[in-house]
Amino acid sequence: SSAYGGYSDQLAIVAAYDRWEKAQSRGAAEKFCAQNFLSMGTMNMLSAMREQLRRELSMKGFIPHACNLNANDVGIVRALVVAGSYPMVGMLLPALPTGKKAIVQTAQGMKVRIHPHSLNFKLVHASNQKQEAVNKPLLVFDEVTRGEAWMYIRNCTVVKPHPLVLLASEMVVAPCSTEDSDSDENDLSAESSDEEDMSNEAKGEKIMSNPDSPVLVVIDRWLKFQTSAAEAAQIFCLRERLSAAIAFTVVTKFLPNILASILIDVMILKLMSNIV
């Protein structure tokens, strides 16, 4: 899966299929399957399913006859995995001091482990040994299965939070619970007693009115990210535009080039934002 950024069972299959297609063009598909423990029949079935899906999307007007412009864009491909898997998403929790393996907490509150057959099973050991740093320990997965002692996720992909911020059904912004800076404390000490007794709602409005104020973005009532008030407002606008573009495309089966270009430009800027 390193061809698509690594840490992904789903994209490992995509990478294997890509290499199988290249081997097939050279007449070496059977040899490739034998060397990599793949089933030729399964690969042919995948090929037929992909072609059927492409024809259906083309007939319904969602894609042109030949559409493969972003197949090598790792960020877009991984974002599509998020879109197809959501809301099956979880957060990798840190390993316990007792030496037990790290676990994943799902959006539904379940605590599961990564199956030993998953490519990401090594991610758990790396987290324990602190030898591997993952910027955003979020995972999307296919399903949760029951083992002898634990619930497991087998097919999973490590993802960044940006696609979740854009695709989640609910987004709430609130003032950060962290203490204000020293300068803010000095300003507050000089205020009158009436201002010191202002309600929490009024304080929140004051914080949100400052574009640089740190705020907490809560996604679907469980994922929390810290950013600025200005960034949060821009994310809200982008979510609205993205929803409108998707609705327009579903109704008309056509997305004007100028609208698509604007959306892509804005999304690229958001992917480079300072969400932490």
Side-chain angles (χ1 to χ4, degrees):
S1 65
S2 58
Y4 289 94
Y7 301 107
S8 174
D9 296 300
Q10 290 91 340
L11 294 180
I13 298 175
V14 176
Y17 181 87
D18 291 342
R19 292 184 60 187
W20 174 79
E21 269 195 328
K22 293 178 181 179
Q24 192 177 41
S25 65
R26 303 192 304 268
E30 293 186 1
K31 180 180 179 181
F32 174 80
C33 288
Q35 290 176 340
N36 294 279
F37 307 100
L38 300 174
S39 167
M40 188 69 178
T42 300
M43 302 306 289
N44 285 324
M45 180 185 68
L46 287 175
S47 179
M49 292 173 61
R50 285 165 60 105
E51 179 59 23
Q52 180 183 2
L53 179 60
R54 187 200 62 79
R55 287 200 304 266
E56 290 291 333
L57 292 174
S58 180
M59 289 174 56
K60 294 183 182 299
F62 284 102
I63 62 172
H65 179 69
C67 183
N68 204 29
L69 297 178
N70 297 305
N72 296 320
D73 190 311
V74 175
I76 292 179
V77 172
R78 297 182 80 92
L80 288 173
V81 174
V82 178
S85 303
Y86 193 82
M88 306 298 282
V89 58
M91 178 179 294
L92 184 67
L93 301 180
L96 299 175
T98 56
K100 293 183 178 180
K101 298 175 182 177
I103 58 179
V104 175
Q105 181 175 346
T106 70
Q108 294 75 26
M110 299 175 58
K111 291 187 177 180
V112 299
R113 287 183 177 174
I114 301 176
H115 197 277
H117 289 173
S118 169
L119 291 176
N120 289 322
F121 182 66
K122 296 180 180 179
L123 180 67
V124 176
H125 293 293
S127 177
N128 285 336
Q129 299 169 5
K130 298 182 179 179
Q131 294 177 353
E132 193 83 39
V134 179
N135 294 330
K136 297 297 178 184
L138 298 173
L139 300 93
V140 293
F141 51 90
D142 292 343
E143 60 181 356
V144 178
T145 58
R146 182 178 296 277
E148 294 182 359
W150 271 85
M151 305 291 285
Y152 291 94
I153 55 175
R154 184 188 299 265
N155 296 321
C156 58
T157 297
V158 177
V159 297
K160 292 185 177 181
H162 304 90
L164 296 174
V165 173
L166 294 176
L167 297 170
S169 58
E170 183 180 288
M171 173 179 165
V172 177
V173 179
C176 284
S177 59
T178 57
E179 297 181 357
D180 296 330
S181 62
D182 294 339
S183 59
D184 292 336
E185 290 178 356
N186 294 332
D187 293 337
L188 288 174
S189 63
E191 294 177 350
S192 65
S193 59
D194 291 338
E195 291 177 333
E196 291 175 352
D197 294 334
M198 68 171 57
S199 65
N200 290 332
E201 182 178 356
K203 290 181 180 179
E205 292 179 355
K206 181 178 179 181
I207 292 174
M208 294 299 294
S209 65
N210 183 358
D212 297 325
S213 296
V215 296
L216 194 67
V217 176
V218 183
I219 299 299
D220 286 348
R221 305 188 183 188
W222 79 288
L223 281 176
K224 300 178 180 180
F225 308 102
Q226 183 175 329
T227 183
S228 67
E231 288 282 348
Q234 292 171 1
I235 293 171
F236 263 120
C237 293
L238 180 56
R239 282 170 55 88
E240 291 296 324
R241 292 184 181 183
L242 185 60
S243 297
I246 293 174
F248 183 87
T249 305
V250 170
V251 172
T252 64
K253 299 184 176 65
F254 173 74
L255 185 64
N257 291 334
I258 183 63
L259 180 57
S261 176
I262 293 174
L263 281 174
I264 291 174
D265 290 342
V266 176
M267 290 177 69
I268 289 174
L269 289 175
K270 284 289 86 185
L271 292 176
M272 298 171 62
S273 65
N274 296 323
I275 296 178
V276 297

